[in-house]
């Protein structure tokens, strides 16, 4: 979609406001992993220990994602978001202020993960109610692209704060932004207006739909590769503050550019495979050299495929489920991504500890991306063809009793 098309989309009533609110509410996602990684490594002296705490947090999010997303159809978005936000903030304050053995840090990481507010599921359920069906796929592309602002700004900000002012300050910053961003999103009028119907199907049934299962598996592998890159970059520059943050930022710049450029590209069955080729080749090239300029260039190239691939995940999920199932479906997709983040960060951390070199982290990232590519090719027939059709959810219908 051309720039004028995006401007028109953002002028649609409520779209610009809800995008800004949800990006702010999710901004801590771009800080929390690095903040925890730096804090736990500083406290324990081990990247492996830091990887375990990150894994506990990611597993907590993975377990809770579909459950809290489904709760929104039962108790309403605002109630669920307020409860989870409150607990999550307390968990981050505990990580920042308490001196604990590794199991204690892992327990708090798990609580923080379990209570992560389901912002993504909420906003991607709201989107179909804000725009007409023809604009939904471009909106998913715009969302996937703009979320990269989080990954451009947040890593630089948190690495500077944590290395210059201390890792405790970094975690306190995460807690503060959680409160501010979460409150803005929860109080947004769109959150109050959209009601998610209760799903009539059993919990977990929606993930068995082939497109949702594909989105979950590929999301697991794609985000696992990104998590491994994050750990590798931090180790490459030895917590090197600005260098590590800038390299991670350019990774996201590539994704932002790729996502904006692909906004109107039709999504056919082979769209995912084509986008993952870019990611896999770019990540494979990172292992050639650990020079900051080489890493920056190869990660920009790899990043060009990430937001477009995520847009495909969002579109095929939305187009394959009923509206009452959208929140839970996106919860499962998020679960796949979070388990991938746990696996990618933990494997990369242990390979770094075992070899003493960050190359193992980049190898992990490449293998995860290559596996995602293989899955997208092997199961290409299961991808819905969205060329010439919209990505709106299937309307909920029920029997009508006639007099």
């Amino acid at each position: 979609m051309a720039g004028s098309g995006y401007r028109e989309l953002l002028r649609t009533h409520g779209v610009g406001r809800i995008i800004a609110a949800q990006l702010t509410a999710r901004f801590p996602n771009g800080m929390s992993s690095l903040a925890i990684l730096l804090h736990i490594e500083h406290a324990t002296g081990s990247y492996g220990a830091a990887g375990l705490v990150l894994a506990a947090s990611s597993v907590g999010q993975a377990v809770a994602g579909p459950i809290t997303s489904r709760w929104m159809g039962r108790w309403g978005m605002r109630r669920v978001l307020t409860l989870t936000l409150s607990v999550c903030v307390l968990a981050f304050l505990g990580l920042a202020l308490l001196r604990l053995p590794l199991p204690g840090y892992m327990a708090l990481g798990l609580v923080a993960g379990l209570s992560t507010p389901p912002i993504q599921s909420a906003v991607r359920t709201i989107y179909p109610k804000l725009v007409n069906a023809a604009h939904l796929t471009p909106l998913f592309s715009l969302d996937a692209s703009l979320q990269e602002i989080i990954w451009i700004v947040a890593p630089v900000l948190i690495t500077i704060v944590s290395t210059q002012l201390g890792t405790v300050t970094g975690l306190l910053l995460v807690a503060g932004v959680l409160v501010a961003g979460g409150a803005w999103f929860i109080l947004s009028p769109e959150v109050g207006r959209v009601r998610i119907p209760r799903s009539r199907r059993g919990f977990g049934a929606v993930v068995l739909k082939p497109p949702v299962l594909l989105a979950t598996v590929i999301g697991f592998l794609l985000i696992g590769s990104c998590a491994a890159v994050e750990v590798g970059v931090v180790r490459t520059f030895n917590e090197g503050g600005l260098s590590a943050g800038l390299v991670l930022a350019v990774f996201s710049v590539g994704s932002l550019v790729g996502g904006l450029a692909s906004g109107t590209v039709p999504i056919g069955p082979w769209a995912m495979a084509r986008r993952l080729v870019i990611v896999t080749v770019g990540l494979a090239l990172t292992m050639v050299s650990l020079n900051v300029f080489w890493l920056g260039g190869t990660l920009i190239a790899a990043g060009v495929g990430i937001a477009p691939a995520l847009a495909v995940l969002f579109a095929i999920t939305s187009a394959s489920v009923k509206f009452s199932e959208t929140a839970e479906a996106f919860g499962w997709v998020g679960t796949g991504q979070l388990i991938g983040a746990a696996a990618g960060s933990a494997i990369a951390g242990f390979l770094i500890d075992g070899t003493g070199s960050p190359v193992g982290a980049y190898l992990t990232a490449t293998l995860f991306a290559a596996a995602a590519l293989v899955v997208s090719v092997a199961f290409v027939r299961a991808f819905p063809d969205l060329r010439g059709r919209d990505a709106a959810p299937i309307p909920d219908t029920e029997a009508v009793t006639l007099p």
Side-chain angles (χ1 to χ4, degrees):
M1 177 176 285
S4 59
Y6 282 127
R7 286 193 294 272
E8 179 183 349
L9 187 60
L10 289 171
R11 282 198 295 267
T12 302
H13 182 70
V15 170
R17 177 173 54 218
I18 201 67
I19 287 179
Q22 63 98 5
L23 286 176
T24 307
R26 291 168 54 206
F27 194 80
N29 294 351
M31 299 191 293
S32 60
S33 293
L34 271 174
I36 292 172
L37 180 70
L38 294 169
H39 183 70
I40 303 303
E41 193 281 330
H42 179 74
T44 66
S46 170
Y47 279 97
L52 285 174
V53 177
L54 280 177
S57 175
S58 296
V59 168
Q61 291 182 62
V63 170
I67 298 172
T68 54
S69 296
R70 189 177 175 96
W71 283 354
M72 291 191 292
R74 177 174 297 180
W75 294 307
M77 287 189 189
R78 281 181 168 157
R79 288 182 181 179
V80 174
L81 291 171
T82 301
L83 173 63
T84 53
L85 176 67
S86 301
V87 176
C88 191
V89 169
L90 291 175
F92 271 99
L93 290 176
L95 282 170
L97 302 176
L98 300 178
R99 293 288 294 181
L100 300 169
L102 178 59
Y105 284 127
M106 290 179 66
L108 278 177
L110 180 64
V111 172
L114 287 170
S115 58
T116 299
I119 302 292
Q120 286 197 69
S121 298
V123 75
R124 285 166 189 152
T125 301
I126 291 170
Y127 281 159
K129 298 299 183 181
L130 293 184
V131 299
N132 62 46
H135 289 156
L136 190 55
T137 296
L139 180 55
F140 281 135
S141 293
L142 180 62
D143 178 271
S145 302
L146 291 181
Q147 74 177 7
E148 295 302 331
I149 295 172
I150 296 172
W151 305 104
I152 293 169
V153 178
V156 178
L157 176 62
I158 200 62
T159 49
I160 291 174
V161 170
S162 294
T163 56
Q164 301 302 315
L165 302 179
T167 58
V168 170
T169 304
L171 286 171
L172 292 177
L173 176 62
V174 173
V177 178
L178 267 171
V179 172
W184 184 12
F185 182 77
I186 290 168
L187 295 174
S188 296
E190 294 75 19
V191 175
R193 283 199 293 264
V194 175
R195 179 184 174 277
I196 305 173
R198 286 195 184 194
S199 176
R200 296 172 179 268
R201 305 182 71 193
F203 176 72
V206 69
V207 79
L208 299 179
K209 292 190 174 184
V212 179
L213 185 58
L214 268 176
T216 302
V217 171
I218 292 174
F220 162 86
L221 295 166
L222 180 61
I223 300 304
S225 71
C226 294
V229 167
E230 185 173 277
V231 176
V233 169
V234 171
R235 174 60 181 84
T236 299
F237 301 103
N238 296 313
E239 305 176 28
L242 192 58
S243 294
L246 288 176
V247 170
L248 290 173
V250 299
F251 188 28
S252 297
V253 167
S255 181
L256 173 63
V257 171
L260 292 176
S262 66
T264 55
V265 176
I267 296 177
W270 286 99
M272 180 63 75
R274 287 194 296 268
R275 298 168 194 214
L276 288 175
V277 166
I278 299 170
V279 178
T280 303
V281 172
L283 291 178
L285 290 173
T286 60
M287 292 181 287
V288 173
S289 170
L290 298 183
N291 173 274
V292 62
F293 297 107
W294 177 264
L295 276 179
T298 54
L299 288 178
I300 285 177
V304 167
I306 291 175
L310 289 173
V312 174
L313 292 185
F314 303 152
I316 66 172
T317 300
S318 176
S320 304
V321 300
K322 293 183 178 180
F323 179 68
S324 60
E325 300 171 325
T326 51
E328 185 186 344
F330 281 116
W332 283 108
V333 173
T335 286
Q337 294 175 7
L338 290 162
I339 295 175
S345 61
I347 292 171
F350 279 113
L351 283 177
I352 288 171
D353 281 350
T355 64
S357 168
V359 172
Y362 300 117
L363 175 61
T364 301
T366 303
L367 292 177
F368 268 66
L373 175 59
V374 169
V375 170
S376 67
V377 171
F379 297 97
V380 66
R381 293 181 181 275
F383 282 88
D385 190 347
L386 300 182
R387 292 172 296 187
R389 55 168 290 201
D390 60 68
I394 303 165
D396 286 274
T397 57
E398 59 183 20
V400 178
T401 302
L402 299 176

